[in-house]
Amino acid sequence: MADSTKRTRRRYRLGRRAETTGETRQRIVEATFQLHSERGIADTSMTDIAERAGVSVGTVYHHFPCYADAIGACGAYTVEHAPAPGATIFEGASSRAERIARLVRALFDYYQRVPALESARRNRHLAPELDAFAREEARNRRRLASRAAGPGGAALAAALSDIDVYRALRREGFGTADAAGHVAALLNHHLDAGPGTSHRSVRE
């Protein structure tokens, strides 16, 4: 009976220790996500992460032996908690104009949720995961643009729904919804103008 009780207590201690370790790791990843959003990836250090997470620098290195590992974990957290829009955004859309409007709004909302995307592009050399993340973002945006606008308007739709356009409009004082509305209106006006202007297809 005594041995059974000891084993039970030991399993409890091990389970609790694993739970605490998992909680600490999660806190570090969340701190990394916050700092990347606020400062950018290149301007965040392991010391910054430790201070934000409320742990020692040694604890951060225990979970993530190098900064690239922390970046990779942050990327996985971003994909899980702030996923990029997919083809479901077009469900029920009955016209090209509506698809365009949904495309731009969904992407602009995504950029608002993931402000570190700009930094991921700029600093993609810091970790393979960043490069892969940036490449997939571009591929996904182009796929969605092709679905929304068709082959003839896909390139323009992909370009005008890019984060650089979103950021420029925000700097000029437009809110996310207003920015999306204006870009969608411009795109639809251009596409409604017909074959008077040339377009090229977007390669995925």
Side-chain angles (χ1 to χ4, degrees):
M1 184 70 175
D3 288 343
S4 176
T5 301
K6 287 180 181 178
R7 285 195 296 270
T8 300
R9 288 175 177 171
R10 184 171 181 274
R11 283 197 299 270
Y12 172 78
R13 286 196 300 271
L14 291 174
R16 182 57 189 150
R17 188 180 304 160
E19 181 181 340
T20 302
T21 299
E23 291 170 352
T24 300
R25 184 184 188 281
Q26 181 71 7
R27 196 159 70 248
I28 292 169
V29 172
E30 291 174 355
T32 304
F33 177 84
Q34 293 166 6
L35 289 165
H36 286 177
S37 298
E38 296 167 11
R39 303 181 185 181
I41 296 168
D43 293 325
T44 295
S45 70
M46 297 291 258
T47 301
D48 296 330
I49 294 170
E51 290 177 354
R52 178 63 62 91
V55 299
S56 69
V57 177
T59 298
V60 176
Y61 277 107
H62 172 75
H63 288 276
F64 304 106
C66 66
Y67 185 41
D69 294 330
I71 289 173
C74 182
Y77 175 88
T78 302
V79 170
E80 179 181 357
H81 293 275
T88 56
I89 64 173
F90 302 124
E91 289 180 357
S94 58
S95 66
R96 187 208 67 220
E98 187 176 357
R99 291 194 303 273
I100 290 289
R102 292 192 186 190
L103 167 76
V104 183
R105 183 56 193 266
L107 287 174
F108 281 18
D109 283 345
Y110 174 62
Y111 303 150
Q112 185 177 39
R113 296 196 312 273
V114 187
L117 175 59
E118 278 182 304
S119 183
R121 284 183 179 178
R122 189 169 58 250
N123 300 292
R124 59 200 306 167
H125 61 283
L126 294 177
E129 292 85 354
L130 281 181
D131 186 57
F133 182 79
R135 287 176 183 273
E136 178 53 31
E137 182 277 324
R139 281 194 294 266
N140 183 61
R141 175 167 40 83
R142 290 166 181 160
R143 284 193 297 264
L144 294 177
S146 184
R147 277 183 174 247
L156 187 63
L160 291 184
S161 60
D162 185 71
I163 191 172
D164 290 337
V165 174
Y166 168 73
R167 290 297 181 204
L169 288 168
R170 289 304 307 272
R171 285 193 296 271
E172 294 300 323
F174 292 91
T176 297
D178 284 343
H182 283 294
V183 170
L186 285 170
L187 273 167
N188 279 314
H189 175 75
H190 181 80
L191 294 172
D192 287 341
T197 53
S198 61
H199 308 289
R200 63 178 180 85
S201 298
V202 173
R203 291 181 300 171
E204 292 189 8

